[in-house]
Every structure is written in structure tokens, then in C-alpha cells.
């Protein structure tokens, strides 16, 4: 393969891409929830729980949150071919990749420059997903594959290997700006430090004073307190020169054993080492939890109707503490039982969760209410000393902006009021929705001098003339209306377009479900391009 050839994963239907409608989000105050009073100065109330198709919801977030999400964690359906109560997890191979590709492309745009993406996955798709992430986010930005030990005992009825782990793919938005935080040392790690000689400098740990190479100047006898002299073993030398060794002995930095007759060892004091360590790429169940622990956490929250595939809170705690700082935004677009939001909330991070399933209402909202009320005593609650507080706002996706009338003509959806219409068209046209209290025609802006005005009126020539005068020659205005009369070319500060004609070709209207269910997928062209299915020989 020549250096100029690009490594690329191919699959049937890869060229088929959805033309997504950028919808608005509508808050339902009855489902939003906040603590009755502020618990601390750091309480966060603007978290977002979004009910709806996660691809459309990701698209809806893009205009406001592009470049602002510090950590994206997703636990997508693994495409194992097995049936789950809350997910149809058996999507055909190539379709699964297409659906993941569409979501990952938006996630990449949402990530901050120093942000990162964490994906839990198993053997069925992990290696294909890795190649896809290389293509979308750049191979150079791949950080690592973490092994999570999800089970603590073998499954006796396994046909081949008993699967004990899942993968967590970690990819940076920009590896040159990404910083992986370190973990605090545990009691097990600091417990190795003791103070066997009551040194006033505190606990210490013995470390080797030998080097596994021969340096002639570092081979000399060392006299022990017992009077015996020792040399470094054959093929090694001391780590220090004789002068340095003498200085260390004088400073009581060398340990010769309780009887003063043991081989020398260097005293490394706990107070002189860092209180953190880098994370390894193997996470055992005793560190971050396992599947049964996650189910027990769910059982304390919900007696019946347990979610089939929850992740333990300790696993999300590890991911969030490695990838974020307090007040950063964490996004989960396959929110499931709501573990990501619950953990992020307890850790003082802002969060956004997206979920289409009805368990958004049966599992997630009740769980989050308990977290906010300080009634969730499980998971990481005690570890982070969580007492409650904060809140979230509940949103659902607005219906498609355009719908067909009884004659098959595209018209503005009748459920849209004036405010919804203005906000939706601002988003589609790339304007920031910000209605002015002073000028009725300033409903949004793209620059300090460029504005948008949306109306369902049929504007006359006189109305356009008056509008042009109010806008003035130093500003410009995009006018979207159902109809207008007169020659608009004489108003150079106005750009007048009809709706819905102006936006008809922008996207797929009326498509509400891009979820991971085969029956909800758009039909492929009748004669798709014949590609080799995962022809890895060409990679």
C-alpha cells in the first residue's frame, strides 16, 4: 500500500447520509426539577434532560454547544444480536456502523478542543468502531483502549471464552490539547509506606539502590552498621557514587534493616512523592465496579423493572474524574438508566443526557429526583459526600417544522406559534435566536449588524419600505415571510425570502426517528453501490 493511500473502512450503504433537520428544543416545566433550596454555592441547575431521537437531539444541540462539551460518554447498543427489554440491540452490521458514524460526526463538532470521547463497547464491533473513530476524529487523536472487568466470575455455560471485560475506547478531539487527569492514591497504595525507625520525616518505603548495569565508579564496598561490608551483586552497580552514598547515609536516607545488617535500601518518604498516580489501561471490578454492582444500585432505586444493562456509578466516576474538572459539561446521548447524569451531578459537573425510550420517564427522572433531593444513598454518594441540590430542565424535540397538507403541499407545522417559528428559522439559517425588546424585527443575529425577522404576514411594498428605513443603511436584515409584494431590489439592506420555499431543500422534513431500530431506518436506494462488506484486506 502506498503512503498516499488513505486507510478507510467501507461498508454497504456508507454513502447514504441523513439530511438532518436542526430542530428546536421545547422545555416542559412540569417535568423539569430543582431542589427546594440552594445547598451550596456550587449548585448547578441548568443541566438538560432531553427526550427524543438522539441523532436529532445531537443536531439540535449543535448550534449552542459546538466546541463546548468537555467529555462525551456513550454506551451504545453493542449490536450483539440479543434482545433487550429497553433496546433492540440486533441491528445489522453495516446499518449499525452507518448509524454510529452519523452520531460520531456531530459529537466531534460538539467536543471542546481539549475534550474527549469515551465509548463502551464489546468484541462484536469494537475493532470496526476503532477504525471508524480513526477516520472521523483522526488516528493521531486516539488515546487508548481501556479494559473494564465487568464480571468477577466466569459464566459456566459459555460456549467458548467466558467474557469478563468490555472495552472503553478513548479518543481526544485534539491530542495536542488533551490532558488526562491523574488519580488520587488509594489507602492500599499509601499503606505501603511505614515508619519502621520513627524517622521524624514520617512514613517511608524502601526502594532499590542497585542499577542493573555495570558502572565501574559505582562499584565499591559499603560498610553496614553491623560492621559487615557488602558489594553490589555481580553484573550490577550502586545507583549512587560513593560521595552521594555517604551523604545519604549521613542524612539517614539509607535503611540497613532493623538489625543493621541488611542490604542497603533507599528510604522514599511519602511526603516527598506525588499524591496522585496515572491511570492504567486495566480497570478491575474492585476499582470501578461490575455489572452486578450496577444492578444492585438500580435495585435500591427501583424494586421492579430493572434496567438490563446499567453501568456502575464507580465506572462513570473514574471516567469523569480523568476527563473533566468541576463545572465542565458531560454529555451522554445513549443515557439509558441515567447513570452518567447522576454521577456527573454528584461530582459537580454540568450534564446533558439524551434518551428516546420511555425509561427516560420511568427510570431517569425518578432517579435524578432522588439525587437532587439527597435521597440516593447508593453508588458514589458517600465517596463524594453528596448531600443533594441543583436541578435539571426537561426538554423534548419540537415536531418537524414543515408538514404536508391534505393536498400533499409542504406547509408550516400548525403546532408552531410565532416564537417557535422564529427560533426554528434562526437555527436553520444559522442565526442566534435573541428577540429584541426594542425592535420587533430583531429576532436573531449572525453578527452585530446582521439580523433576521420572521413573520407569517404577506408583506406589502409599504411595509418593506418602512422596515428598510428602520433597519438603516448600517445594518442588514434577512426577512422570511409567507409572501411579499413589490420590487425588493430597491431595498439593499433587506434580503426577502418566502417560507417555506426558502427552506424546502435544506433537510429531510417529517422524519422523527433515526433510532437504532431497523424498522425505523430510511430505505436504501434501489441500486446501492456494491461495496465489499468490511473488506479489511484493503485497509
Amino acid at each position: 500500500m502506498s503512503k498516499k493511500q488513505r486507510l478507510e473502512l467501507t461498508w454497504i450503504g456508507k454513502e447514504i447520509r441523513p439530511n438532518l433537520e436542526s430542530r428546536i428544543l421545547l422545555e416542559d416545566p412540569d417535568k423539569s426539577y430543582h431542589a427546594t433550596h440552594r445547598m451550596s454555592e456550587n449548585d448547578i441547575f441548568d443541566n438538560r434532560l432531553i427526550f427524543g431521537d438522539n441523532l436529532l437531539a445531537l443536531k439540535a444541540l449543535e448550534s449552542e454547544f459546538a466546541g463546548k462539551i468537555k467529555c462525551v460518554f456513550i454506551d451504545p447498543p453493542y449490536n450483539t444480536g440479543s434482545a433487550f427489554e429497553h433496546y433492540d440491540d440486533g441491528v445489522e452490521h453495516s446499518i449499525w456502523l452507518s448509524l454510529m458514524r452519523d452520531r460520531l460526526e456531530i459529537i466531534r463538532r460538539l467536543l471542546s478542543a481539549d475534550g474527549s470521547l469515551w465509548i463502551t463497547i464489546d468484541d462484536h464491533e469494537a475493532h470496526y468502531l476503532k477504525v471508524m473513530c480513526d477516520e472521523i476524529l483522526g488516528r493521531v487523536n486516539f488515546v487508548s483502549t481501556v479494559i473494564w472487568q465487568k464480571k468477577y466470575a466466569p459464566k459456566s455455560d459459555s460456549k467458548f471464552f467466558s467474557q469478563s471485560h468490555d472495552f472503553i475506547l478513548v479518543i481526544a478531539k485534539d491530542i495536542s490539547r488533551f490532558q488526562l487527569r491523574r488519580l488520587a492514591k488509594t489507602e492500599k497504595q499509601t499503606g505501603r509506606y511505614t515508619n519502621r525507625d520513627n524517622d521524624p520525616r514520617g512514613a517511608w518505603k524502601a526502594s532499590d539502590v542497585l542499577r542493573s548495569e555495570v558502572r565501574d565508579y559505582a562499584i565499591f564496598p559499603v560498610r553496614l552498621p553491623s560492621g559487615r561490608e557488602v558489594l553490589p551483586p555481580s553484573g550490577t552497580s550502586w545507583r549512587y557514587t560513593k560521595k552521594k552514598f555517604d551523604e545519604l547515609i549521613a542524612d539517614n536516607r539509607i535503611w540497613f534493616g532493623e538489625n543493621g545488617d541488611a542490604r542497603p535500601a533507599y528510604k522514599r518518604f511519602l511526603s516527598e512523592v506525588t499524591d496522585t498516580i496515572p491511570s492504567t489501561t486495566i480497570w478491575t471490578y474492585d476499582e470501578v465496579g461490575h455489572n452486578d454492582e450496577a444492578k444492585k444500585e438500580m435495585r435500591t432505586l427501583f424494586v421492579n423493572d430493572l434496567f438490563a444493562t446499567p453501568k456502575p456509578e464507580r465506572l462513570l466516576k473514574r471516567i469523569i474524574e480523568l476527563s473533566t474538572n468541576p463545572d465542565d459539561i458531560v454529555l451522554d446521548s445513549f443515557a439509558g438508566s441515567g447513570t452518567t447524569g447522576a454521577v456527573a451531578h454528584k461530582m459537580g459537573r454540568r450534564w446533558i443526557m439524551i434518551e428516546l425510550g420511555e425509561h427516560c420517564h420511568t427510570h431517569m427522572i425518578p432517579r435524578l429526583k432522588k439525587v437532587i433531593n439527597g435521597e440516593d444513598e447508593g453508588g458514589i454518594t458517600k465517596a463524594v459526600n453528596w448531600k443533594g441540590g441543583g436541578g435539571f430542565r426537561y426538554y423534548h424535540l419540537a415536531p418537524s417544522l414543515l408538514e404536508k397538507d391534505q393536498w400533499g403541499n409542504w406547509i408550516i407545522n400548525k403546532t408552531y406559534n410565532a416564537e417557535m417559528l422564529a427560533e426554528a428559522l434562526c437555527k436553520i439559517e444559522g442565526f442566534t435566536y435573541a428577540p429584541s425588546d426594542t425592535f420587533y424585527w430583531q429576532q436573531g443575529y449572525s453578527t452585530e449588524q446582521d439580523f433576521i425577522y420572521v413573520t407569517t404576514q404577506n408583506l406589502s411594498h409599504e411595509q418593506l419600505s418602512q422596515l428598510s428605513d428602520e433597519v438603516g443603511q448600517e445594518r442588514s436584515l434577512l426577512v422570511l415571510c409567507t409572501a411579499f409584494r413589490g420590487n425588493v431590489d430597491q431595498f439593499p439592506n433587506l434580503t426577502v425570502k418566502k417560507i417555506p420555499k426558502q427552506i424546502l431543500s435544506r433537510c429531510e422534513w417529517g422524519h422523527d426517528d433515526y433510532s437504532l431500530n431497523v424498522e425505523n431506518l430510511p430505505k436504501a436506494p434501489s441500486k446501492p453501490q456494491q461495496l465489499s462488506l468490511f473488506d479489511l484486506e484493503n485497509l
Side-chain angles (χ1 to χ4, degrees), residues 462-483:
E462 290 75 22
Q463 288 174 309
L464 290 172
S465 178
Q466 181 180 350
L467 192 57
S468 177
D469 290 340
E470 293 184 21
V471 171
Q473 299 307 307
E474 301 300 321
R475 295 177 290 203
S476 57
L477 182 68
L478 172 61
V479 181
L480 299 178
C481 57
T482 54

Side-chain angles (χ1 to χ4, degrees), residues 44 46-49 61 65 68-74 110-112 116 118 316-317 319-333 335 339-345 347-354:
I44 300 172
D46 61 346
N47 302 299
R48 300 192 182 199
L49 175 59
L61 291 170
F65 289 95
K68 297 180 180 179
I69 307 297
K70 188 65 171 290
C71 170
V72 175
F73 168 80
I74 57 174
L110 290 171
L111 281 171
S112 62
S116 57
W118 303 65
L316 269 297
K317 177 179 181 292
I319 291 171
I320 291 172
E321 69 183 342
L322 286 175
S323 61
T324 67
N325 294 303
D327 208 41
D328 284 337
I329 305 177
V330 178
L331 167 66
D332 185 347
S333 57
T339 303
T340 302
V343 173
H345 201 100
M347 295 178 68
R349 273 66 167 176
R350 292 181 288 165
W351 54 264
I352 301 172
M353 290 194 292
I354 303 168

Side-chain angles (χ1 to χ4, degrees), residues 173-204:
K173 171 71 172 289
D174 181 348
I175 196 72
S176 67
R177 302 185 65 173
F178 174 66
Q179 291 186 337
L180 189 69
R181 298 183 68 203
R182 294 164 63 93
L183 299 173
K185 286 183 176 176
T186 64
E187 291 184 9
K188 180 179 179 181
Q189 291 156 340
T190 57
R192 299 171 186 169
Y193 292 80
T194 59
N195 196 350
R196 287 175 278 178
D197 61 351
N198 296 316
D199 194 304
R201 288 166 291 192
W204 52 270

Side-chain angles (χ1 to χ4, degrees), residues 259-390:
N259 297 323
D261 193 48
R263 194 179 76 178
Y266 179 77
K267 292 165 61 176
R268 190 174 301 277
F269 290 95
L270 178 61
S271 60
E272 296 175 348
V273 298
T274 63
D275 56 359
T276 63
I277 57 172
S279 173
T280 66
T281 55
I282 297 179
W283 297 356
T284 56
Y285 67 82
D286 58 320
E287 294 178 355
V288 297
H290 47 70
N291 283 342
D292 285 351
E293 178 177 315
K295 290 179 180 179
K296 288 177 182 177
E297 290 172 354
M298 291 296 293
R299 197 170 286 114
T300 62
L301 296 167
F302 311 102
V303 177
N304 300 312
D305 191 26
L306 299 182
F307 197 78
T309 57
K311 294 296 183 286
E313 288 199 8
R314 286 197 291 159
L315 176 65
L316 269 297
K317 177 179 181 292
R318 170 68 63 85
I319 291 171
I320 291 172
E321 69 183 342
L322 286 175
S323 61
T324 67
N325 294 303
D327 208 41
D328 284 337
I329 305 177
V330 178
L331 167 66
D332 185 347
S333 57
F334 292 91
S337 62
T339 303
T340 302
V343 173
H345 201 100
K346 295 175 186 179
M347 295 178 68
R349 273 66 167 176
R350 292 181 288 165
W351 54 264
I352 301 172
M353 290 194 292
I354 303 168
E355 183 53 59
L356 175 61
E358 187 54 32
H359 46 282
C360 178
H361 306 112
T362 60
H363 290 69
M364 295 173 66
I365 291 179
R367 179 179 191 172
L368 293 168
K369 285 183 176 180
K370 289 183 178 182
V371 171
I372 292 166
N373 293 339
E375 299 170 354
D376 175 12
E377 298 179 357
I380 66 165
T381 296
K382 292 181 180 179
V384 299
N385 195 31
W386 176 251
K387 302 296 185 183

Side-chain angles (χ1 to χ4, degrees), residues 35-51:
T36 55
H37 60 278
R38 184 175 284 277
M39 297 291 293
S40 73
E41 293 291 329
N42 300 319
D43 284 359
I44 300 172
F45 294 93
D46 61 346
N47 302 299
R48 300 192 182 199
L49 175 59
I50 302 172
F51 178 67

